[in-house]
Amino acid sequence: MANPIERLKSKLKGLTEKDVGPLSTPDAATTPREDAPLGKLESVVGRLGTSTTLSALSAAARELEQLVRSNRVPLPLDDIWLLVEPLTDNNLPPDIRAPAFEFAQAYLEIYTDCSDAFRLQLLKAVVKGGWAQGDLALRLAVLRAATQDGRNIRGLEWVIGESLKVWLEQMVRLIVLEQKEHPKSNVDQESQTNVTKDLLCFVTNVVKFSCTHLEESHVSSVLEAAFRFCQPSAGNILISEVVVLLDVVVRYGSLPRSVLHAFVEAVCRIGAVEPFAQPSWLSMRNLLKSHRSHTAMNILFSMLDEEPQTDSGPSSQMLRGAVILVYKACWGSDHVENLSYSNIFLLSHLRQVLNRRIDIVDHEVLFCVDRVAAESGNSWSVVEWELVMEILEDLGRHWTKNKREAMAEGWRVGSPLTGPPDSIRLGILRLYSNLLLRVKSIYLEQPGSSSSAYFDILLDLGITLSEELATSFLDRSSALITQSPNPPEYLAKIVETFYLEEARTSVRLRTLDLVIETFEGAQPADQEEVFDKVLIPIFQKLPSEKDAAVFERVLVCFSEVQEDLETGRVTEIAEILVQCACNAESVEAVHNMVGSGNTGPTGIGTGTLPKNLSMDALRTVIDLFCHHALVEPENGCFAIFRYFIALITSAEIDSSIRSSCLEFLTSLQADQSGHVILRRVPDWPRAPEGKAVPEGGTEKDGKGDVRPQICPRVFCLERPASLETPVRSDEASDAGDHAFAEAPAVVLPIDDYVTAVLAILTREKSWAVYSSALGGLATQLENVCFFQAAGSQIINLRATMCDFIQYEKLAASVTDMPRELRKTDIYVRAFKILSMLFAYRHLFTKQQQDEMLGAFQLGLHRWPGAAKHCMHALVLALSEMPLSMKKLLPSILLKVSQTMSTAMGIHNLEFLATLARTPDLYVNFTEADFKRVFGVALQYIQSRPTGSPTSPAQAPAYQYIVQLGYHVLSSWFLALRLAERRKYVPFILHYLLLPANRDSKALDEKTELVLDMLVQNTLVDCWPKPGEATMHRLQMEKLPSRSWVQGNSLLTIRVARQAGWSEFVIRRPTGVISVWTRLDNRLKAPDMVVYLPAPVAFAVTRTGLDEDGVRLGGEEDSGSGGVDLLSPTPDGGGLEMPFRKKTRSASIASIASIGGGGSPFLARPDGPSRVASAALLTNPSRVPFETTEETFPLKRSRSLSSTTSPLSRFGSSQSLSDLSGTGEAGQTGLDSSPSIPSPLRRDDQQIMDPSFLLLQFIAYPYQQHRETPYPLADDESTSRALSVLDRTPVLELHKIGVVYVKANQRTESEILSNTAGSRFYGIFLRSIGQFARLKGCKEIYTGGLDISEDLDGEYAVYAQDHLSQIIFHCTTLMPSVAHDPLGTGKKRHIGNDFVTIVWNESGEPYRFETISAQFNFVNIIIEPVGQQTVTTPGQTLEYRDHFFKVSVQLRPDMPELADAKLVSGFSLAPFVRQIAIHLNIFAQIFWQCVSGGTHTSNARERLRQIQRIKARAVGREG
């Protein structure tokens, strides 16, 4: 074969320029030139043959390509290609190969009629293996030129098929695969993309125009390679070309079966990518309309069902596209009609794809299912909805795996979600929430729907649910729990989900309600499991709880379930509550607190619980203790009480918690038998099944307050022998052991409690705790019964308090004392505690009692603010500790005289007034002591108020001090023996007249009243007024008389009808004196004298005799048993007055009337006054206390023959001895005097001093020698004035109400309906006064009680002394009638009494407003301490040994006057009677001041009347 170069040259010689193209110029030579086309062609060919360098060859090839493009040169292509082909070697550089491929492209583009053989030859050179990727664009360009861009592949089918496959795979590797691992520059990536795009376009044309000419295997390979460009890394440009290819394959070509899977995968990959979703779906839709539809759908389903284990499985994008295609094909708006898959089939495949755990796929599934459910869910079956439930159950992981983050964003299932719109996670959550709500709104509303799966989903979602969904689940949970095969386990899961993990308050509260409902409805066998699996986790979380509402509800939950728990369970929960109260980190710290004795740190107070929640926990554990103390005391009461003791002494615990615990402990009380009384009773919702709440339970009064309750099996001391041995297991177990032995009753360690309080008072640093201990203990000590088993601790308490007061060490350990707190205020509380210890005096020696009173004496001057409290205690000590008071009285009296401030005036004078009635205490007083008493009284009488005497704040106190000072002065003066009185008169006058000497000649009323009292009582010891018969005669009889006024007295001389007899009546402010005289000189004209019977006052009277003439006293009087005061003289001329050798003065301890002389109550039974019996009305001191009911000398009065005794209303006994206490007098030792026990001494024998009579006729205190008596006109005006004066009482009269309140009585009508009282109440009435028959009674002041028709009862109680008389309006002695159910008749009297004594046995505090009236200013409340209301074996304390709490209630606008006191029955009556007198005086003064007036005593009123009468007489004389 010839050399191709030579052969090519020879062919070129046969060509002309005409063949090649036009010549360069018309005159050119025929010889070829170098610049002519042909010449250039020859030159280029020559260089191709002769050039030895690649660059020269490449340049020649490029010139050749340019020559072809610029001129039509019919070249011998075969020969030229032989020269150019070597430049296409893959081993050559790209710049060398490029001209060769460009030459081939240019020639084929211009000369399209190339032979098939040449095209094949050329194509083989283009597609030969080993080529570099940089040449692909050139090679592709040659290929496109050779096939007319894929339209003509005749003869090239096999080469093209193989080439396209290789090229596409190569580009997939470069663009899709390597790009993921090694990103290229933008330039390289862009060039590759452009080449690949052209390649895909070529493939598309080939498939579109010549697919039938290709082998099926080649088509499959090419399409598979092309479809692999459907990757995000390929870019949108290539993907768009693939989309076109997909459509072309379906439209123009027969899609090979082997490529169907790849086709579907490609469509799936781009089916969810915009803007290719719709074009790709159209391609798929066209496919599904073909005979390959079911095959294609099966491919989609297989992709969805493929297990996620293999790495070669579908990608997330592909799966997402598959879901979209399934939806569009079967459910979409343009779905394929010929497809007939059921919803169950489709949903099951969608459910299966969720196993891949791909978020984007999950999102698409949710989107599809939600849209389908919205469109056709109403027609779905239960099975279809159950598949939806499975999808929701699976996809719930999107909420649960990142629930904290979701909640942090505020995202909840069932609530609107806001966030980034392109967030796949947010989209999933939003679609899930919508679908779940759609299930609720559509499926659950259908009949026959099963909600279990739905609620299981909600339970799994748990805290991610919205509040509405969570609540709806909890509302249905009761039924779900019941249906569950293991209810406790199911409830535990609910609690873990919606309580332990939950943070929303409302959801947690609803969960707790569910727990309570379930626990209460569970069987006993299940309750234990519920407690272990459900309640214990709830309670264990309590110490770290921050939500106050949830904390409170947990406490309520405990109160609901605790009743069904065993002892160990209650103790276990109690420990958790104590842990919360102590704010401890663990229960072990609580154990250490109890067992360590608080000697060091115990891990207490280091928790995170807020203070208010710790306080709530403390209240709950207190309620727990109270409830079980009432119902089941062995169920942890002892253990809890030990916790309380440890809690109050632990310094690590917050002071407010300890203070509150102390407040509860100090509120505990006990009755006589040792039963603990609770003042705080929890309002538990119900009693445990099979157990009864004690009578009363949590009964409340009308105000809503819980009544105090008695714990039948909780004691403060060892129980009686008839009961079983109490529990006290602290000796048998270690301090840290909390398993207490079971027993039917519990004895609380009160001794340990008192020891703990003593420790607080000794070393406590917190003022809040210290203050609670001081104040609470003072109140609790009122209940003596509670401390019966703590005698040694009470002794230590007394010593501690005395030591604190003596050395001023009270609260010395406190470090946070408030700056505004005065030191005096602290010691006031200490003195209250010490005064309460009077009730425990039986534990103290005489020396220890002396120390107590010494402490009060010290407080009189050391702490002025506490002086009044000390004085009140000393007043009580007069009757409770008489021996110690007798010893200290002189020094106390000295302190009183040194602390005579106005602020102390009331208290000092009340002390002296009370002391005046205890003569045995000052029997050893010296003259200096008496003068000191008189000096104190005189100074207060002459005192001036510090402010305006008419101001509302000063006027009542000032007037009361003056009135009380006069009362003290009179009482003490009358207490002196008659022979000793006159020696104190100069002393009294000296201090009394000092202000008058410095002022004017006139004396004020206070001074005049004192002087008048001295005139009345210095020289004789008589009653301040003659008998009622004399007074009646003065008012009624018209005897010749004449009256004069002189000084401050009125003198009336009356002439009797008997010859020689006259009566001198001297009316003074403080009394009335009646003296009878007889003229013994014989009258000169006896015939003119008419002798009439002796005056009524001088009728024969037998004194000291009973109604049958029997002498009651048993003492023989000198002379005859009964004498005629006026008897005829032997000569028959006049009347002779025999003088008795022994005259008994009227004892103030006997029953006397307002008048003097004899007692009207000893008159004969047919007289104006009748009494119940001789034994009742005679001096009780004559009746021996040991006299029993059978031997009591009782004689029945004729006036009582048809009358019921008032004593039958008190207690069970009907005898007088029960009322008076004589049945037990040997034990009570009462001074059962019917009148006020008074020290006002009377000599057994006294002879009237003649000076007394002379003194009555002197114008004292006006002693001017020129003053003469002023006669009073004998007219009607004078008679009226004298009558008004005579009706003005000489004594101070008091009316005091007495009300008895039975157990459980609270209303006014209930109280006023009582007509009987308890035994103690009856003894009290007998002790405070005496009974008098009302009908026909005119000798005593009845305070408005009916004395004619027994409308206010048959009897009344009264008492009197030389200065005052008291009538007691006892409601129990007044009748209760059917037509007056409200007790208006009784209230008519009680409501007008300023002071009411309330004997309260109701078991609860008496309210001041219970009996409301205009004049009820003061209530004196008497409450038996430890009143026994539970029947238990054993003896009841006797009245004299029993203690009573005496407290004073005042109207709100009245100043405080006294604290509560504990008074023994021995001293109760005189103590209450005395304070009643004082309070009645003060109340009247206060009322007058409030009304704008001034209180005027009876003596002062009489003085003013006398002065007005004198002024008229003097004016008439002038």
Side-chain angles (χ1 to χ4, degrees), residues 58 81 140 170 223 226 265 403 607 674 713 738-739 788 839 986 1121 1167 1328 1383 1405 1489:
S58 176
W81 182 248
L140 180 59
Q170 177 71 9
L223 291 179
E265 287 184 350
K403 52 189 173 183
R713 292 186 290 147
H738 299 280
Q788 296 177 71
I1328 204 171
C1489 293

Side-chain angles (χ1 to χ4, degrees), residues 778-947:
T779 303
Q780 192 174 32
L781 286 171
E782 297 174 1
N783 186 253
V784 181
C785 304
F786 186 75
F787 298 95
Q788 296 177 71
S792 60
Q793 286 75 23
I794 293 297
I795 294 174
N796 293 337
L797 176 62
R798 183 215 62 83
T800 301
M801 301 310 298
C802 290
D803 183 68
F804 284 166
I805 293 172
Q806 181 178 358
Y807 298 104
E808 299 189 52
K809 297 191 299 182
L810 191 65
S813 61
V814 176
T815 58
D816 60 345
M817 191 79 69
R819 293 184 178 181
E820 65 276 8
L821 183 66
R822 299 182 305 168
K823 190 175 184 180
T824 300
D825 298 333
I826 305 175
Y827 279 89
V828 166
R829 303 184 186 185
F831 285 123
K832 289 182 179 179
I833 293 178
L834 204 58
S835 65
M836 289 302 167
L837 293 180
F838 284 0
Y840 304 83
R841 60 184 181 276
H842 62 281
L843 300 174
F844 311 141
T845 64
K846 170 64 167 54
Q847 181 180 357
Q848 291 172 340
Q849 295 182 23
D850 293 345
E851 291 178 359
M852 294 173 65
L853 298 185
F856 289 113
Q857 180 181 348
L858 189 64
L860 289 177
H861 66 89
R862 182 174 289 181
W863 299 285
K868 71 173 184 178
H869 301 281
C870 296
M871 189 58 71
H872 294 164
L874 293 175
V875 170
L876 181 61
L878 291 173
S879 54
E880 299 293 350
M881 295 183 180
L883 296 180
S884 296
M885 281 298 294
K886 185 175 182 179
K887 175 182 177 181
L888 297 176
L889 263 181
S891 58
I892 292 176
L893 197 58
L894 178 61
K895 297 296 182 184
V896 170
S897 64
Q898 294 172 350
T899 57
M900 292 180 57
S901 62
T902 303
M904 285 298 295
I906 294 176
H907 315 292
N908 288 342
L909 291 173
E910 287 181 346
F911 170 77
L912 294 177
T914 305
L915 177 60
R917 303 190 182 280
T918 55
D920 291 339
L921 299 185
Y922 56 84
V923 67
N924 297 325
F925 263 27
T926 63
E927 181 179 345
D929 295 327
F930 282 109
K931 287 183 177 180
R932 188 169 290 119
V933 173
F934 292 139
V936 172
L938 288 168
Q939 182 166 340
Y940 281 119
I941 291 175
Q942 299 295 338
S943 64
R944 296 290 186 272
T946 55

Side-chain angles (χ1 to χ4, degrees), residues 101-148:
F101 289 120
E102 291 174 354
F103 162 74
Q105 177 185 1
Y107 193 88
L108 291 174
E109 288 177 352
I110 295 175
Y111 300 99
T112 59
D113 55 348
C114 295
S115 65
D116 294 342
F118 176 76
R119 288 193 301 150
L120 179 60
Q121 179 184 1
L122 183 65
L123 189 59
K124 288 181 179 179
V126 172
V127 299
K128 62 183 178 182
W131 51 272
Q133 63 182 10
D135 297 338
L136 181 59
L138 296 176
R139 295 172 189 263
L140 180 59
V142 174
L143 183 60
R144 295 180 68 178
T147 61
Q148 298 179 4

Side-chain angles (χ1 to χ4, degrees), residues 863-1162:
W863 299 285
K868 71 173 184 178
H869 301 281
C870 296
M871 189 58 71
H872 294 164
L874 293 175
V875 170
L876 181 61
L878 291 173
S879 54
E880 299 293 350
M881 295 183 180
L883 296 180
S884 296
M885 281 298 294
K886 185 175 182 179
K887 175 182 177 181
L888 297 176
L889 263 181
S891 58
I892 292 176
L893 197 58
L894 178 61
K895 297 296 182 184
V896 170
S897 64
Q898 294 172 350
T899 57
M900 292 180 57
S901 62
T902 303
M904 285 298 295
I906 294 176
H907 315 292
N908 288 342
L909 291 173
E910 287 181 346
F911 170 77
L912 294 177
T914 305
L915 177 60
R917 303 190 182 280
T918 55
D920 291 339
L921 299 185
Y922 56 84
V923 67
N924 297 325
F925 263 27
T926 63
E927 181 179 345
D929 295 327
F930 282 109
K931 287 183 177 180
R932 188 169 290 119
V933 173
F934 292 139
V936 172
L938 288 168
Q939 182 166 340
Y940 281 119
I941 291 175
Q942 299 295 338
S943 64
R944 296 290 186 272
T946 55
S948 172
T950 60
S951 66
Q954 297 290 337
Y958 168 68
Q959 294 183 34
Y960 180 52
I961 288 174
V962 174
Q963 180 78 5
L964 204 54
Y966 177 80
H967 179 80
V968 169
L969 181 65
S970 302
S971 299
W972 279 90
F973 189 77
L974 294 175
L976 296 170
R977 297 177 64 87
L978 183 61
E980 297 176 353
R981 293 179 184 175
R982 65 184 66 191
K983 69 179 179 181
Y984 293 99
V985 172
F987 175 82
I988 295 174
L989 293 178
H990 174 72
Y991 284 95
L992 185 66
L993 299 177
L994 280 179
N997 293 336
R998 295 194 301 267
D999 198 357
S1000 62
K1001 296 181 179 180
L1003 300 177
D1004 56 17
E1005 290 180 342
K1006 298 178 293 183
T1007 303
E1008 291 180 348
L1009 289 176
V1010 174
L1011 293 175
D1012 194 75
M1013 184 274 297
L1014 296 177
V1015 171
Q1016 183 79 4
N1017 298 288
T1018 300
L1019 300 176
V1020 72
D1021 199 7
C1022 65
W1023 291 96
K1025 196 172 183 180
E1028 286 299 318
T1030 301
M1031 298 305 298
H1032 180 72
R1033 186 180 68 254
L1034 290 175
Q1035 299 172 9
M1036 302 300 296
E1037 294 186 9
K1038 302 299 183 181
L1039 299 178
S1041 63
R1042 184 67 184 273
S1043 299
W1044 293 264
V1045 61
Q1046 185 177 19
N1048 285 337
S1049 62
L1050 298 179
L1051 173 62
T1052 299
I1053 302 177
R1054 294 156 49 90
V1055 178
R1057 293 186 177 89
Q1058 293 81 3
W1061 284 95
S1062 301
E1063 182 184 17
F1064 290 78
V1065 179
I1066 299 93
R1067 297 176 173 88
R1068 313 191 69 89
T1070 58
V1072 178
I1073 301 297
S1074 175
V1075 179
W1076 282 90
T1077 62
R1078 192 186 76 171
L1079 180 63
D1080 279 344
N1081 296 32
R1082 190 179 300 274
L1083 297 177
K1084 295 181 178 181
D1087 296 338
M1088 299 177 61
V1089 178
V1090 180
Y1091 294 96
L1092 298 176
V1096 177
F1098 299 100
V1100 178
T1101 307
R1102 301 183 181 272
T1103 59
L1105 304 179
D1106 67 3
E1107 57 192 7
D1108 297 322
V1110 180
R1111 187 176 302 278
L1112 296 175
E1115 178 184 358
E1116 292 296 334
D1117 203 346
S1118 57
S1120 61
V1123 299
D1124 292 340
L1125 298 179
L1126 299 175
S1127 59
T1129 57
D1131 56 4
L1135 294 176
E1136 180 181 13
M1137 174 77 72
F1139 184 81
R1140 302 182 59 168
K1141 297 180 180 179
K1142 181 178 181 180
T1143 303
R1144 180 178 300 276
S1145 64
S1147 173
I1148 205 65
S1150 65
I1151 306 170
S1153 68
I1154 299 178
S1159 171
F1161 304 104
L1162 300 180

Side-chain angles (χ1 to χ4, degrees), residues 152 247 430 512 560 592 640 764 891 1015 1063 1084 1168 1376:
N152 182 14
D247 183 67
R430 184 183 288 113
L512 290 175
E560 297 277 356
N592 296 335
I640 297 174
E764 180 57 45
S891 58
V1015 171
E1063 182 184 17
K1084 295 181 178 181
S1376 295

Side-chain angles (χ1 to χ4, degrees), residues 44-304:
V44 170
V45 171
R47 289 199 301 272
L48 287 174
T50 57
S51 297
T52 58
T53 63
L54 292 177
S55 57
L57 291 174
S58 176
R62 188 172 297 282
E63 290 181 9
L64 184 62
E65 182 263 341
Q66 293 176 355
L67 182 63
V68 171
R69 288 188 180 280
S70 60
N71 298 277
R72 292 182 55 85
V73 179
L75 296 176
L77 189 59
D78 296 341
D79 295 329
I80 295 177
W81 182 248
L82 291 177
L83 297 176
V84 175
E85 183 180 10
L87 296 179
T88 62
D89 189 352
N90 292 333
N91 296 321
L92 295 178
D95 56 338
I96 300 299
R97 296 195 305 268
F101 289 120
E102 291 174 354
F103 162 74
Q105 177 185 1
Y107 193 88
L108 291 174
E109 288 177 352
I110 295 175
Y111 300 99
T112 59
D113 55 348
C114 295
S115 65
D116 294 342
F118 176 76
R119 288 193 301 150
L120 179 60
Q121 179 184 1
L122 183 65
L123 189 59
K124 288 181 179 179
V126 172
V127 299
K128 62 183 178 182
W131 51 272
Q133 63 182 10
D135 297 338
L136 181 59
L138 296 176
R139 295 172 189 263
L140 180 59
V142 174
L143 183 60
R144 295 180 68 178
T147 61
Q148 298 179 4
D149 199 13
R151 288 175 172 80
N152 182 14
I153 61 171
R154 184 181 62 254
L156 306 176
E157 295 88 348
W158 190 88
V159 175
I160 290 178
E162 286 291 330
S163 300
L164 292 179
K165 172 186 175 183
V166 173
W167 289 357
L168 287 174
E169 289 177 352
Q170 177 71 9
M171 298 312 297
V172 167
R173 184 175 62 254
L174 292 176
I175 296 177
V176 178
L177 301 181
E178 292 186 5
Q179 181 67 19
K180 295 180 180 178
E181 300 176 0
H182 307 287
K184 301 178 177 63
S185 64
N186 293 334
V187 176
D188 295 340
Q189 186 175 359
E190 183 178 1
S191 62
Q192 292 176 358
T193 299
N194 293 332
V195 173
T196 307
K197 175 184 177 183
D198 294 340
L199 179 60
L200 289 174
C201 289
F202 178 74
V203 171
T204 300
N205 288 336
V206 170
V207 172
K208 182 176 181 181
F209 298 106
S210 307
C211 183
T212 56
H213 301 289
L214 294 176
E215 293 287 338
E216 183 176 350
S217 60
H218 290 163
V219 174
S220 299
S221 300
V222 170
L223 291 179
E224 286 180 355
F227 293 159
R228 293 180 65 184
F229 285 100
C230 295
Q231 302 284 349
S233 58
N236 291 345
I237 296 177
L238 299 183
I239 294 176
S240 62
E241 295 298 331
V242 175
V243 169
V244 175
L245 175 62
L246 292 174
D247 183 67
V248 168
V249 169
V250 176
R251 287 177 179 271
Y252 299 99
S254 177
L255 184 65
R257 184 179 182 86
S258 59
V259 187
L260 185 59
H261 196 285
F263 176 87
V264 174
E265 287 184 350
V267 175
C268 291
R269 286 193 182 96
I270 61 179
V273 179
E274 293 295 341
F276 315 117
Q278 186 61 24
S280 62
W281 158 242
L282 293 177
S283 300
M284 187 67 183
R285 189 172 184 275
N286 291 331
L287 177 64
L288 294 177
K289 290 181 179 180
S290 69
H291 65 284
R292 300 278 179 86
S293 60
H294 290 289
T295 304
M297 290 300 298
N298 289 336
I299 294 173
L300 289 176
F301 295 145
S302 64
M303 293 171 59
L304 298 179

